[in-house]
Amino acid sequence: MIIQTEYFSYKQAMKYMGFNSYDSLREVIKLGLPVIEFGKSKRISKSAIDKFMQDHTARKYSKSEVISND
């Protein structure tokens, strides 16, 4: 039986986000990724990660959009 969880440990969250260092995860937390704390345990919601990443997705511009001929 495979159990899929909504709440990740820091290590699982890093893997899900494609990070190789805790520094990257800490930076994202500083930028507003919510962390759930109970006792000494800390968890990050998968849906919170998905929302955070969607909200912080940068729009790519084509060269013609960047160069203005006004």
Side-chain angles (χ1 to χ4, degrees):
M1 179 169 85
I2 297 175
I3 298 174
Q4 293 184 350
T5 183
E6 166 65 20
Y7 301 98
F8 294 141
S9 66
Y10 276 20
K11 187 174 182 176
Q12 291 168 319
M14 286 174 42
K15 184 176 181 180
Y16 181 71
M17 298 173 79
F19 294 157
N20 293 322
S21 78
Y22 283 103
D23 290 339
S24 298
L25 181 61
R26 278 193 287 270
E27 188 63 32
V28 171
I29 291 169
K30 284 182 189 176
L31 292 173
L33 178 65
V35 174
I36 301 161
E37 296 184 38
F38 48 95
K40 293 181 180 181
S41 181
K42 295 180 183 181
R43 295 287 183 262
I44 301 173
S45 165
K46 178 184 178 297
S47 58
I49 292 171
D50 293 338
K51 182 178 180 341
F52 181 88
M53 298 299 271
Q54 182 65 38
D55 291 347
H56 290 82
T57 299
R59 181 174 181 264
K60 298 223 179 212
Y61 294 93
S62 69
K63 188 175 180 180
S64 62
E65 288 178 298
V66 174
I67 299 172
S68 175
N69 291 327
D70 293 337

